[in-house]
Amino acid sequence: MKIKRFEFNMFPVNCYVVWDETYEAVVIDPGCYYEEEKQALKTFILSNKLTVKHLLNTHLHLDHIFGNPFMLKEFGLKAEACQIDEFWLENAAKQSRMFGFELKEEPVPLGKYLHDGDIISFGNTQLEAIHVPGHSPGSLVFYSKGDNCMFSGDVLFQGSIGRADLAGGNFDDLREHICSRLFVLPNETIVYPGHGAPTTIGIEKVENPFFR
């Protein structure tokens, strides 16, 4: 598995392009708001001759879906995410105005609903969807057992966890599900979060202040 991380700047968010030796790929959380960010993502995909098979959203908060309309227009892909989070798409324009800006493009409907335990396949690679509610009710983590890594969205960060004070969030649920769904995975599992630097499950079990 190969991974390219983009950090987009409206709300600094990590977008991941993931592919393998077949050149089939997935894009996770295209938070590209500015035109130059969209073009950088497109140029990387085309210059590396990648065929994007899936567009995945870990959850549907505003900063993680800015680029969904662009991915539909350029690559014909609608996002795949958990249905429980769909209300965030309906409220996206209102949310953007609360932060003092207007959406350049209206959110597009999801193309497929993902559920806990679903397998997303591309090339010779598989990602398992793990439902970890608490930051948002439909938050999903995408876990690759074969490559010993996960894409955690805003569930788990280096030294922190996601906020739980937005609609549908629940702090106790978040902590409980991180412990029961993620901390049971191997300690060496690399965590690629939605914001900030990578970490590992082992480090977070020992050092994350929310679990001491």
Side-chain angles (χ1 to χ4, degrees):
M1 176 190 289
K2 297 180 180 180
I3 300 168
K4 169 66 174 178
R5 177 174 71 97
F6 292 86
E7 185 177 16
F8 296 131
N9 293 315
M10 171 57 83
F11 297 104
V13 62
N14 292 331
C15 166
Y16 298 96
V17 181
V18 186
W19 72 103
D20 64 18
E21 67 277 5
T22 69
Y23 293 94
E24 290 191 356
V26 299
V27 173
I28 302 174
D29 289 345
C32 40
Y33 179 82
Y34 299 107
E35 187 61 30
E36 58 267 29
E37 295 175 336
K38 297 174 183 177
Q39 293 306 317
L41 178 58
K42 177 183 176 181
T43 297
F44 180 84
I45 291 169
L46 295 181
S47 63
N48 286 278
K49 298 181 172 58
L50 303 180
T51 301
V52 183
K53 305 297 289 186
H54 301 275
L55 173 61
L56 306 177
N57 288 143
T58 57
H59 62 297
L60 298 179
H61 286 165
L62 195 62
D63 50 336
H64 292 254
I65 67 169
F66 283 139
N68 284 7
F70 177 76
M71 292 297 295
L72 176 60
K73 180 175 66 176
E74 294 293 336
F75 299 99
L77 293 167
K78 286 187 176 181
E80 303 171 28
C82 183
Q83 185 177 11
I84 306 171
D85 260 15
E86 206 165 28
F87 72 96
W88 282 109
L89 295 180
E90 300 165 3
N91 293 327
K94 178 181 178 181
Q95 290 292 312
S96 68
R97 288 192 291 272
M98 288 176 60
F99 284 104
F101 67 96
E102 295 288 338
L103 285 180
K104 295 181 179 180
E105 299 174 285
E106 288 294 317
V108 294
L110 296 176
K112 181 179 179 180
Y113 296 136
L114 294 176
H115 308 87
D116 184 61
D118 281 354
I119 302 297
I120 300 102
S121 298
F122 58 101
N124 297 318
T125 302
Q126 291 186 331
L127 298 175
E128 178 187 356
I130 302 175
H131 185 210
V132 187
H135 173 64
S136 75
S139 284
L140 296 173
V141 169
F142 299 114
Y143 172 58
S144 172
K145 182 178 180 180
D147 290 279
N148 207 32
C149 67
M150 69 171 66
F151 302 89
S152 64
D154 289 1
V155 167
L156 180 63
F157 303 121
Q158 183 184 69
S160 190
I161 62 176
R163 62 188 294 180
D165 59 337
L166 300 174
N170 185 294
F171 178 77
D172 291 336
D173 279 353
L174 180 57
R175 288 186 72 257
E176 175 188 339
H177 283 90
I178 290 172
C179 289
S180 64
R181 313 280 342 251
L182 302 186
F183 281 179
V184 296
L185 299 173
N187 286 339
E188 60 271 21
T189 304
I190 301 170
V191 179
Y192 293 104
H195 305 272
T199 184
T200 68
I201 288 295
I203 289 173
E204 297 313 307
K205 285 165 67 174
V206 173
E207 298 185 4
N208 194 305
F210 288 93
F211 302 98
R212 289 177 182 169

